[in-house]
Amino acid sequence: MFIRMDESKKENPDITYQCRTSYLEIYNEQLKDLLMPPGESQKLEIRQHPKLGIYVPGLTETPVANYLEVKKLQEFGAKCRSVAATSMNDRSSRSHCVFVFEMVCKKGKQQLFSKVNLVDLAGSERQKRTHAEGDRLKEGAMINQSLTNLAIVINKLAESQTKKKGDFVPFRNSKLTYLLSESLSGNSKTVMMAAISPAADSYDESMSTLRFAQSVKAIKTRAVKDE
């Protein structure tokens, strides 16, 4: 991406680019800024602006000029993410996280805006397999609840593709679905990668993931220039 920007500026010196990144996690339905120094925190909420769309006031947005700066911020945030040991994974993700890359391209009076959301979803959990207790059990329940809400939203969007008038889509039922509402509908292009296990004892989880992926394929989005 940065190579293409440099080539574009060489061809047309009047073009300028401004890029910035942010990184957050959703832990127990609470937002956490992963680019904020350790020990510092503030309450974050999701807001919707008529022109800006979905945004999080107070979230750290760091300007970047090249790939190495992006990589450094991504690695810093990943170290701050909530992880813990369970019977199935000694470094189990206890949250969903979203890494955001925003770019503004200016050419004279014309201005184009684009945003990339890179989302890492924590996997659903079954207590009888993770043997979770206390905080781990609560975290697993919150992860499962948010994934259930995401599945409901995906199914509603898939059904709306075959109806003249779609049903109400409950984006605001969870922080995850509210934050991703623009990526799942409207002016966007979305790709989802599903991870499954070849292990026989993970058959139920793998089939559930594949059924979810099948419903995602039914959703059609259309990306257009955002000026």
Side-chain angles (χ1 to χ4, degrees):
M1 188 179 293
F2 286 102
I3 292 175
R4 292 184 62 181
M5 289 183 205
D6 291 337
E7 292 174 348
S8 176
K9 287 188 287 187
K10 289 178 181 178
E11 295 174 0
N12 192 334
D14 294 334
I15 293 180
T16 61
Y17 292 95
Q18 295 177 343
C19 304
R20 59 182 181 266
T21 63
S22 56
Y23 201 3
L24 63 82
E25 73 171 356
I26 304 174
Y27 173 76
N28 286 348
E29 278 300 289
Q30 299 296 318
L31 303 184
K32 177 185 175 183
D33 189 340
L34 293 178
L35 296 184
M36 186 168 286
E40 298 183 21
S41 64
Q42 61 174 316
K43 186 176 182 180
L44 299 173
E45 295 292 342
I46 303 171
R47 296 286 183 262
Q48 186 167 19
H49 189 276
K51 292 185 178 181
L52 299 177
I54 299 297
Y55 73 109
V56 181
L59 183 65
T60 302
E61 294 184 333
T62 306
V64 290
N66 54 60
Y67 165 74
L68 290 178
E69 292 182 359
V70 175
K71 185 173 183 290
K72 184 178 180 181
L73 290 170
Q74 193 277 330
E75 291 175 345
F76 175 85
K79 292 178 181 178
C80 299
R81 189 176 177 184
S82 300
V83 295
T86 69
S87 295
M88 295 184 64
N89 190 342
D90 60 351
R91 284 188 57 81
S92 172
S93 299
R94 314 312 296 164
S95 66
H96 309 300
C97 71
V98 183
F99 185 82
V100 182
F101 179 88
E102 297 177 281
M103 181 185 71
V104 178
C105 173
K106 295 181 179 180
K107 181 181 178 182
K109 294 183 179 180
Q110 186 183 36
Q111 181 171 291
L112 299 176
F113 173 80
S114 65
K115 179 169 70 172
V116 178
N117 291 322
L118 299 176
V119 185
D120 182 18
L121 299 176
S124 60
E125 296 188 355
R126 295 189 179 187
Q127 194 276 335
K128 66 179 181 180
R129 297 194 63 189
T130 62
H131 301 135
E133 299 177 345
D135 289 342
R136 302 294 83 79
L137 182 61
K138 178 183 177 182
E139 292 162 356
M142 296 302 289
I143 289 171
N144 290 344
Q145 181 180 336
S146 63
L147 292 175
T148 297
N149 283 317
L150 177 61
I152 292 172
V153 165
I154 293 293
N155 287 331
K156 289 289 185 181
L157 290 172
E159 290 173 1
S160 69
Q161 305 294 321
T162 59
K163 296 181 179 180
K164 292 184 178 180
K165 185 177 181 181
D167 295 333
F168 170 74
V169 181
F171 284 115
R172 298 197 184 199
N173 279 8
S174 75
K175 299 286 179 64
L176 177 64
T177 52
Y178 193 13
L179 191 64
L180 299 182
S181 56
E182 292 181 331
S183 297
L184 296 171
S185 63
N187 182 13
S188 66
K189 185 172 183 178
T190 302
V191 176
M192 178 175 288
M193 293 182 288
I196 60 175
S197 171
D201 61 356
S202 297
Y203 175 83
D204 290 340
E205 289 84 352
S206 293
M207 289 303 299
S208 176
T209 299
L210 290 174
R211 284 192 292 268
F212 178 71
Q214 185 67 31
S215 63
V216 171
K217 290 177 66 176
I219 300 175
K220 306 296 182 184
T221 57
R222 181 172 177 267
V224 298
K225 284 187 178 180
D226 194 355
E227 302 184 40

